């Protein structure tokens, strides 16, 4: 519904997130660009860099109507707003934005991680179960429940695993 403020995702050109963010703020929109601090090696030394938490994306909190949609798209560096069309934009749940805001504000050491959805096939990347694949049943920050199945027998076993060692299969 265009009459209420919701969170939307904006897809930007490569390395244009900050430029798009600044343009939207200057136009009076509420934009959110979550960032993380990373250390990189340049030459002989290390230096601290601030990078987008989600490269290529930032978030907009606005009740988007056709005129504001056009005004948003006039910003240099925008590829598009995610969704079918201006009146059917994809909505990012406020709870997800709040969680990202808390992580960004706390200065936690966040790092990119492959998107893993419960019920999806995953692979253990390190440790004694390295290479094992199964279905991720539960997922907590430190541990999850991985289900391994023998299709022919139609039987399964579940094992608790360290979720930091899990990657999408």
């Amino acid at each position: 519904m265009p009459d209420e403020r919701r969170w939307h995702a904006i897809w930007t050109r490569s390395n244009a997130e900050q430029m798009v963010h600044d343009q939207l703020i200057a136009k009076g929109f509420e934009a959110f660009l979550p960032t993380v601090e990373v250390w990189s090696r340049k030459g002989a030394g290390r230096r601290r860099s601030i990078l987008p938490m989600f490269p290529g994306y930032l978030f907009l909190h606005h009740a988007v109507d056709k005129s504001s949609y056009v005004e948003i798209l006039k910003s240099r560096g925008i590829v598009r707003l995610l969704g079918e069309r201006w009146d059917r934009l994809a909505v990012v749940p406020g709870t997800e934005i709040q969680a990202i805001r808390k992580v960004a504000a706390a200065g936690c050491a966040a790092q990119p991680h492959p998107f893993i959805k419960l019920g999806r096939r995953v692979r253990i990347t390190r440790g004694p179960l390295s290479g094992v694949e199964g279905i991720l049943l539960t997922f907590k920050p430190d541990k999850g429940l991985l289900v391994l199945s023998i299709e022919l027998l139609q039987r399964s076993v579940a094992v608790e695993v360290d979720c930091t060692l899990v990657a999408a299969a």
Side-chain angles (χ1 to χ4, degrees):
M1 310 252 171
D3 58 309
E4 58 185 72
R5 290 169 44 109
R6 294 184 177 186
W7 285 101
H8 303 285
I10 297 175
W11 179 19
T12 70
R13 289 190 185 353
S14 182
N15 301 315
E17 302 91 352
Q18 188 65 53
M19 177 180 67
V20 170
H21 174 268
D22 295 347
Q23 290 175 73
L24 291 173
I25 296 295
K27 291 179 181 183
F29 291 103
E30 182 184 349
F32 172 49
L33 176 60
T35 58
V36 291
E37 183 178 308
V38 296
W39 288 92
S40 61
R41 291 189 183 273
K42 290 266 183 164
R46 291 172 33 116
R47 70 174 234 219
R48 184 180 71 114
S49 299
I50 304 295
L51 298 176
M53 192 178 288
F54 302 101
Y57 296 94
L58 65 119
F59 304 97
L60 173 76
H61 194 223
H62 193 73
V64 180
D65 58 11
K66 192 159 189 156
S67 63
S68 62
Y69 179 79
V70 170
E71 190 60 34
I72 292 163
L73 289 181
K74 286 181 184 176
S75 302
R76 274 188 26 240
I78 288 185
V79 175
R80 61 182 276 224
L81 275 81
L82 300 187
E84 293 178 37
R85 55 183 210 223
W86 77 267
D87 60 342
R88 287 197 196 153
L89 295 176
V91 175
V92 180
T95 54
E96 292 178 6
I97 296 293
Q98 278 308 107
I100 296 300
R101 279 190 185 273
K102 283 183 180 180
V103 168
C108 294
Q111 55 187 327
H113 193 276
F115 181 69
I116 296 174
K117 193 170 185 178
L118 292 180
R120 291 284 171 95
R121 182 163 280 285
V122 296
R123 177 182 301 111
I124 306 297
T125 57
R126 295 188 323 264
L129 299 178
S130 181
V132 171
E133 288 189 20
I135 305 295
L136 189 63
L137 195 59
T138 62
F139 186 88
K140 294 181 181 171
D142 58 341
K143 61 185 175 179
L145 195 60
L146 183 70
V147 176
L148 308 171
S149 299
I150 304 296
E151 193 72 32
L152 179 65
L153 303 179
Q154 295 201 351
R155 298 285 189 265
S156 300
V157 294
V159 62
E160 204 168 78
V161 296
D162 181 348
C163 285
T164 61
L165 306 177
V166 172

